[in-house]
Amino acid sequence: MGRRPFRCYRQSKGKPYPKSRFCRGVPDPKIRIYDAGMKRADVEAFPYCVHLASWEKENVSSEALEAARVAANKYMVKNAGKEAFHLRVRVHPFHVLRINKMLSCAGADRLQTGMRGAFGKPTGVCARVQIGQVLMSIRCKDNHGPVAQEALRRAKFKFPGRQKIIESRNWGFTNFVRDDYLQWRKEGRMQKDGVVARLINHHGPLSERDASTIFATAGKVYQTPVHAE
């Protein structure tokens, strides 16, 4: 018996049903790799970032996530180079899908049990996504921006529903707007932390700080950036 078409499971309703000690025998998700390309590249390496955001509240299967990752990765490797980008799948399939299997072969009319015990057995997993939630992100250099947008456009065809490609104003995968990031970096407030960066504030014991990281004022006040004159 083959897989059901995903239109049977696309609607997101009810409570999440994750794998647990009560829900056993769940098949592994098809997607096992969530980062592709230069995933260990420094935060300074890739300033440009573009997102693929869902524009519907729905379920997205692990098969669709894997197909989209493969499509986007293949286009980026071919047109930008395997060391020119970092792709990240931002949603994880934790919601378990169920199927109430019934015999459908010839002469099975007396063996089917109909609605008896119709809760169903685990058949796959999916991710529950909201409107505006980011599905995939790519960071790269500015000159490869159009290539990254085209890669995500091709990945869109692997998902049900509507998606939008959104060009980020932030520096790479960080939470900081580009202009603020550059200004804070010039002031010495940005501390590299892998693929992201941390803003050094004016709090904390002075004994544990280097002289160059001691500041008299905050870097942000109520989420509003504050820069030195």
Side-chain angles (χ1 to χ4, degrees):
M1 185 176 175
R3 284 178 63 232
R4 270 187 190 171
F6 200 73
R7 62 173 175 266
C8 306
Y9 300 107
R10 182 178 155 191
Q11 189 177 1
S12 183
K13 57 184 180 180
K15 296 177 182 178
Y17 185 58
K19 182 179 177 180
S20 67
R21 59 187 172 140
F22 310 108
C23 173
R24 299 181 299 275
V26 178
D28 290 332
K30 269 290 192 298
I31 181 166
R32 307 298 289 178
I33 300 169
Y34 292 87
D35 286 86
M38 287 288 287
K39 57 188 177 185
R40 296 186 189 279
D42 194 57
V43 65
E44 297 286 335
F46 301 131
Y48 180 86
C49 182
V50 62
H51 304 297
L52 180 66
S54 172
W55 229 241
E56 289 188 25
K57 182 188 175 187
E58 60 182 354
N59 291 335
V60 177
S61 69
S62 64
E63 288 85 359
L65 290 170
E66 172 66 4
R69 182 193 68 82
V70 169
N73 183 58
K74 188 175 286 186
Y75 189 83
M76 288 299 294
V77 168
K78 184 177 178 184
N79 293 278
K82 64 181 181 180
E83 295 184 355
F85 71 98
H86 175 198
L87 181 149
R88 176 172 283 176
V89 179
R90 302 281 296 276
V91 292
H92 289 240
F94 291 128
H95 183 67
V96 178
L97 303 172
R98 300 187 300 264
I99 185 171
N100 181 28
K101 280 188 184 174
M102 290 201 290
L103 296 171
S104 57
C105 56
D109 50 335
R110 281 181 292 168
L111 299 174
Q112 286 183 326
T113 54
M115 285 298 292
R116 192 180 304 162
F119 188 73
K121 297 283 195 321
T123 184
V125 285
C126 70
R128 291 158 63 98
V129 300
Q130 303 295 322
I131 295 173
Q133 186 173 350
V134 176
L135 300 174
M136 299 171 68
S137 300
I138 297 177
R139 65 184 181 120
C140 58
K141 293 191 183 300
D142 288 321
N143 59 329
H144 289 136
V147 179
Q149 292 180 28
E150 175 62 17
L152 291 184
R153 190 193 70 84
R154 292 178 177 228
K156 276 170 64 174
F157 295 114
K158 310 299 180 185
F159 293 119
R162 292 175 298 163
Q163 292 81 34
K164 296 219 175 196
I165 296 168
I166 300 170
E167 198 174 24
S168 176
R169 294 185 304 156
N170 295 350
W171 181 283
F173 286 169
T174 68
N175 292 326
F176 309 118
V177 176
R178 273 196 179 206
D179 294 340
D180 294 332
Y181 180 92
L182 292 170
Q183 185 65 29
W184 280 324
R185 188 176 69 180
K186 201 161 96 176
E187 294 169 15
R189 281 185 179 268
M190 298 310 302
Q191 182 180 354
K192 295 178 186 177
D193 191 13
V195 301
V196 292
R198 292 194 306 124
L199 177 65
I200 301 173
N201 225 322
H202 66 310
H203 291 293
L206 296 178
S207 59
E208 298 176 5
R209 291 193 174 213
D210 189 63
S212 61
T213 61
I214 296 174
F215 301 99
T217 57
K220 271 186 179 183
V221 177
Y222 296 113
Q223 300 300 316
T224 303
V226 177
H227 298 295
E229 293 298 330

